[in-house]
Structure formats: structure tokens, C-alpha cells
Amino acid sequence: MASILAKKPKKMKLKELKTLGQQLLSSRAHINNLPLLLGFISPSSPPPYVLESLLSLQSFFTTVLADLPPSQSSKKRPRIDDSAKQDPEFIYRTWLRSKFDEFVTLLIEVLISPDTEDALREILLDSFMEFVKLGNGGSFYSSIYHKLLRSIVNSPTPVDFLSELLALKYFKYIDVRYFTFISLEKLAKALDTKDTADDETVGGDGDSGSQSRERLDLASILTISFMELSIHKIHYIISHIPPLEGNDGKSEYEMWSGSGLPSNEEHDKKKLSKAQKAEDKGWKAEKQTNNVLSPASIAKKMKLKFTKAWISFLRLTIPVNVYKEVLATLHQAVIPHLSNPIILCDFLTKSYDIGGVVSVMALSSLFILMTQHGLEYPNFYEKLYALLSPSIFMAKHRAKFFQLLDSCLKSPLLPAYLAAAFAKKLSRLSICVPPSGELVIIALIHNLLRRHPSINCLVHKEDGDESEEDKNDSGSEKRPGIDHFNSEESNSIKSNAMRSSLWEIDTLRHHYCPPVSRFVLSLENDLTVRSKTTEMDIKDFSSGSYATIFGDEIRRRVKQVPLAFYKATPTSLFPESEFCGWTFTYEGSNEIKEQKTVEEDDASTKRQRIEC
């Protein structure tokens, strides 16, 4: 790039630059104007100069690009005889090919430069994508498109506008999506390899000095920050590719290039060999139309590339903020479009084992794999039981979690001890959660009691209703009312929930929040009679808050409004009738009486003097 900048001509007027472009388009005699125009495709050039040079160079290369030989780095470059290499026309076309490659490199440099204006960047991207469409003999020019995506991902600065522009204008075309998936798969694998190599380098330099270790730490920090930025860009691009429409394989797809998607490799080789022997352009066009893939084949190939790209991305060391974004949309935007969704089981089980918010967010996708794709996860309910904590009622995705929790506990095949453990754990949490969380807990326990009649003993258990296990306990008879439930136990089997009762729910009958005290009365019904009761819809309570409760209370119609009035103005906060048989003495009352006595004596003495 330094040599290109060194050849940059002296400053000239815009009119002179336009004349250079017109001369280049008019005759081959002015071909030396080509390097001069390339010198103005630079981030440091003024936008009008860049635009004028771009218009001239695009018009020039569009007309000659079909006759140029493949690039030097191309794998499909045919073998050329020594005699053909001495041909002046071949030398000229090879030189033009090198200038076109240089032009592409300069375009990408200006596109990803933070100094480029957004309006100019949009024009440059449109011109670049025109070469992607036409630069490979009518086929999609995947090599320069991959070069663009690689430059975007590996750029040391954010290029959000360029990524947004690419997604907004070109991701509606199927072939652009197809080759984007291929490029992202390669870029993710390259980052994964680089991450592994950096870890080995850091681990293998343990005996060096302190200065070298500091340099190594600084280098590793810079490498990690660079990789995180690259992962952010890959995630943005791959998450903004819209899902494939027409999964039935009957609808047509819009293509950016005229050739469509490539077929299998053997067919491509035969196609190239025949195309080299063919001389009739009409025959070539007819052949290309016959080789167009059907919509069903396109959908199948797109699903395969989609799967490979996402799996390669999920194998990276993803930053926490991107990790959460991926888990939040994985069950809707990724799993339905994978060729084999069960391939995500390792990623989701590892995420579910992390705990906390990450486990909550991974629950949606894991539940889909278990219920729809036959995934077996033996410790699923143990992990789900461990997720029940007060912090879950303040999480951002709590609404979805409670709905999934209710769905996971819906099966009538759950053992009684497991249903009792969840009911008791939720009951214990009702003591230390906001009123909105208590409403959700009541609804969940209501559904558990209705689905599993064997745990209804937790509602009406008295002190005398002790099992044989309780009577054999040495201290249970001497200390009635003890709760055998161990809330700190992570294993639901060892929590002793069946030996306890839902006494925490009974305390909610006297809750300060009226909706809670009213709603808890629904548990007093006999929920074993399924014909007279219905399940609660958790969706109606899962997203509640203080604001929603207050709004519902304001809109609630009340038949009788309690009023407080007094016939006489009260003289004290509490009337004496509320404290029958009580007498109160106030500190300083004797001093007040003595002060009044002294004041009365002084007043009587003054009267006597006046009378005298």
C-alpha cells in the first residue's frame, strides 16, 4: 500500500481528473491514466476526487473485466504455455488484472476507513457489489466478496454503518446470504485457530523474565480485545441475515447474480470443462439456465451453510454480552433453521451448567431440543431446581423462564417428591420476593397442586399428621411444628419436601398487598377436583411489577368504599376505648403540676397587692 501512495500524483483540479477519465475510456493510448486515477482512491483524498475516479474506473473495468485472465492468487487459474506468456495482448490483460485487484484493495480500504463519509461509503459499496455481480463472467465473484467480509471482521475499528448497509441492501438476495455464510464459517474457523495458537504461546513462555511476561500480557490483552471486536462483528452479520422464506421449496428466490447458487463439485468441474470447449455464447446461456437449482435444492443448501456457519461461530470464545444475545435469540432465530438442531446439545448443556442468568437464557433452547428433537438430559430437573433463587424474580428474562418452568412441570409422570420439592422451594421464596413474584409463585403452586394430587397433603398438614418416618425421628415428637424442609439442599430428593407443609403460603393471607392476599385464597379450594378447577395461565403473571399491580388496583371497580369520619375532632391518635384497663403516665407530669402551682401562687399574691 505504501508503493501505491508513493505513486499518487500531485494535486490537480477536479476538471483535470475528469478529463483523465474521459481519455481512459476513449482510447487504449491513454492507458497510463489508469494508475493516476487509482492514486485518488484513498481515504486521504477528498470525497469529490474519490467519486470522480470511481466513476471513471468503474466504467472502464466493467467493459474489459470479462476478457481478463484469472487473478494470480486464483486456484482456478489455467496453466499457460511459455509462448502465450510472451504475447503482448496477454501481458496487457495480465497487467489490467493486477490493476483491477489493486482497485478492489483500494475500494475496501476506503470502505472500512473511519474517515470515510457515510454517503460516499454507500456509493463505494454499491460499486463494489456490482463487481461482485459481474466480475466473474456473470457468476458471483465470491473471492472479492470474501475479501470484503474479512476486512470488515479484521478491521481494528468498528464499521457498524458498513455492516448495517450490507445487511439492509444485499442480504435479501439468496446468493449473497449463501456466500456470506461460507465466508463467516471460514472467518470463525480462522479466529478459533488463532485463539488456540495464542493460548499455546502464552502457556509456553512461563520461564521468561518479568519484562517479557509484561509484554506478553499486554500482547495477549490486545489480542483478546481484537478478537472480541471481531466476534462482535461476526455475530452482527450472521444475526442480521434473514431466515429463508419458502421452506416448502415452492417459492422462488431473488438472486443478486444471474448464475444463481453453485451446484455440487463434480457438476461444477464438468461445467467448467465444457464451458472451456464451448465457443457459442448462446449455447452457454442455455446451459446456465438448465443448471439453475430448484427452490427445494436451494433451501437444502442454504440450511446446510447456515448450520455450518453458526456451529463454527458458537465454537469461539464468545464474550459475555454477545453470549447472552445469542442465547436470547437462539430458540427462535437459529434452531428452527438448522439442518440438525441436536448438534447444539453440547453448547446448550455447557451453557445450562454455568448457572445464574446464563442458565435461565439457555433453558428455552434446551427445552425445545428436549421436547421436539429427543434430547436426553438426565440432570435437567436438578439444574432447574438450583435456578430457583430470589434473584430470578428480578432477572430480565424472568417472564420466559416462569412460562418454561410451568411447562417443564406439566408432565403427570413427574414423581411426587420432585413436584413437592418445587412447590416447597417456591413457597419458601414467597417470603423474600416482591408482590409480583408472589403472584407468580401462587399461580405456579396452584398448577402443581392441581396436576399432582399426591402433594395436596402439603396444604392441610397438621402437627399430628406425622408419617412413620417422622415418628421415628428422635426429636420430632418433642418439638412439634418443626419444618423438615432443607432450603439449602440442591438435591431435590434430599430436601425432605414431602415431610413439610406450605405454611409460607398461609402467611400471604395477611399480606400488605391486596392482590396477593386475595389471590392466595384460590389455594383454599379443593384442587384435586379437576372438573371444577382450571389451570392458571402463567403468562398473565410472569411479567408483573409494582407498576402493573398499582395500575390494576386503580382500574379495579370497588362496590363499597370504606370511609373513616369522626363526629368530634379527635384529641389523640388512639382513643382510650382501645386500651381498656390501661393507665399511662407521662414523663415530666409532676414538673408540670408544680409549675402550675407556682404560677397560681404568684397570681394570687399579685391580686392581694392590687387590692391593698
Side-chain angles (χ1 to χ4, degrees), residues 203-221:
D205 195 18
D207 297 333
S208 57
S210 59
Q211 186 176 2
S212 61
R213 281 197 297 269
E214 291 178 359
R215 292 177 181 176
L216 186 60
D217 292 340
L218 179 60
S220 61
I221 291 173

Side-chain angles (χ1 to χ4, degrees), residues 350-360 387:
K350 290 179 181 178
S351 303
Y352 194 60
D353 293 340
I354 291 176
V357 181
V358 176
S359 296
V360 174
L387 289 178

Side-chain angles (χ1 to χ4, degrees), residues 68-78 80 94 97 101 141:
L68 297 183
S71 178
Q72 295 289 341
S73 59
S74 177
K75 296 180 180 180
K76 298 180 180 180
R77 182 177 176 85
I80 303 171
T94 304
R97 166 57 69 177
D101 295 340
Y141 206 163

Side-chain angles (χ1 to χ4, degrees), residues 160 224-225 227-236 239 310 313-314 316-330 347 354 357-358 361 396-397:
D160 297 338
I224 292 173
S225 61
M227 289 191 62
E228 288 183 355
L229 180 60
S230 299
I231 292 173
H232 272 278
K233 295 174 184 177
I234 293 178
H235 174 254
Y236 181 88
S239 62
W310 269 101
F313 170 71
L314 294 178
L316 297 173
T317 306
I318 305 176
V320 178
N321 53 350
V322 180
Y323 203 99
K324 292 180 179 180
E325 292 180 14
V326 170
L327 291 176
T329 59
L330 200 64
F347 174 77
I354 291 176
V357 181
V358 176
M361 301 179 71
K396 181 179 180 181
H397 303 278

